[in-house]
Amino acid sequence: MLDVIDLSFDYQEQPLLNKVAFHLPAGGLLHLRGANGAGKTTLLKLIAGLYRAAEGEVHFSGQNIHHDLAAYQRQLCFVGHKTGINLSLTLRENCFFDLKYQGGSIEQLIAAFKLEQHLDLPSGLLSAGQRRQVGLLRLWMSDAKLWLLDEPLVALDDKALEFIMIKIAAHRKQGGAVLLTSHQKLPLSSSDYQEYCL
């Protein structure tokens, strides 16, 4: 599904990434590891087509992503460090207007994270963990094949972590692929995913 081919990137003329290469198949999960400043977020942005590499290519389904970047980006869901929610909107408003939820009952979706009592509160009143959960709701609202997740497990309690991992497993079972960064050890058998260290 995704091929990263000898990708190099310099940041302000300082080398950051050098000949990064890996293959992520449909149904696969790749855990991207590295120290702070190693280039994990930059690599995700390169893969998302937000930056251009100095050298190398990113291919999705056998085609260079820059041949039709708009079509490629419709196939991915990128959840970055920041939650991507509007803190002045309520949780409900964020789901409908910002995250563009078009599925069934929003109450059922919110209840899975135990956030229903906060549905009509400004999102700025939520804790860091709750904001992270709201940002991750876009995974339930997306039919994208490729998920790029930058530190998705930060500030999640055990129940929310379990819920996210179940969603990731379901996405993979349907032929989707997931690339995520995390400083935490994944709550999975090491044989169930790939690791790549920067």
Side-chain angles (χ1 to χ4, degrees):
M1 179 176 280
L2 180 73
D3 289 287
V4 174
I5 305 166
D6 293 335
L7 217 56
S8 297
F9 184 82
D10 298 340
Y11 184 71
Q12 295 180 348
E13 300 183 10
Q14 294 294 319
L16 180 62
L17 300 171
N18 184 36
K19 301 288 186 185
V20 175
F22 56 79
H23 170 70
L24 177 61
L29 169 62
L30 191 146
H31 181 204
L32 184 63
R33 301 185 66 183
N36 288 335
K40 299 185 298 297
T41 298
T42 299
L43 179 56
L44 289 185
K45 289 180 177 179
L46 286 164
I47 293 169
L50 301 175
Y51 293 169
R52 285 297 290 252
E55 295 178 13
E57 297 182 350
V58 178
H59 289 190
F60 180 75
S61 297
Q63 184 174 4
N64 187 312
I65 63 170
H66 292 286
H67 286 164
D68 190 345
L69 186 58
Y72 164 67
Q73 289 177 334
R74 286 192 292 272
Q75 296 296 312
L76 65 86
C77 180
F78 185 9
V79 178
H81 265 298
K82 297 183 180 177
T83 59
I85 62 173
N86 187 323
L87 299 183
S88 63
L89 295 180
T90 66
L91 199 164
R92 185 191 303 272
E93 290 167 342
N94 265 294
C95 290
F96 282 117
F97 302 123
D98 194 25
L99 303 183
K100 300 178 177 62
Y101 182 59
Q102 303 188 13
S105 167
I106 193 69
E107 285 80 6
Q108 277 187 319
L109 184 60
I110 297 299
F113 273 119
K114 308 256 185 283
L115 292 171
E116 55 267 46
Q117 69 272 27
H118 304 295
L119 198 53
D120 294 304
L121 290 176
S123 297
L125 298 178
L126 300 175
S127 71
Q130 290 168 332
R131 291 177 194 174
R132 168 57 70 183
Q133 291 170 15
V134 174
L136 288 167
L137 287 175
R138 62 178 36 91
L139 300 180
W140 278 259
M141 302 175 190
S142 170
D143 59 2
K145 293 179 181 176
L146 175 62
W147 291 357
L148 304 178
L149 311 179
D150 198 2
E151 297 288 349
L153 311 181
V154 168
L156 296 183
D157 60 25
D158 289 343
K159 199 70 178 170
L161 177 59
E162 180 184 0
F163 191 49
I164 290 296
M165 295 310 295
I166 288 170
K167 183 61 179 174
I168 288 174
H171 179 64
R172 295 175 64 192
K173 192 170 184 179
Q174 293 168 357
V178 181
L179 173 58
L180 67 81
T181 69
S182 177
H183 290 291
Q184 300 166 248
K185 189 177 183 302
L186 298 187
L188 296 169
S189 165
S190 60
S191 63
D192 194 36
Y193 63 93
Q194 304 175 60
E195 275 201 342
Y196 188 92
C197 294
L198 291 179

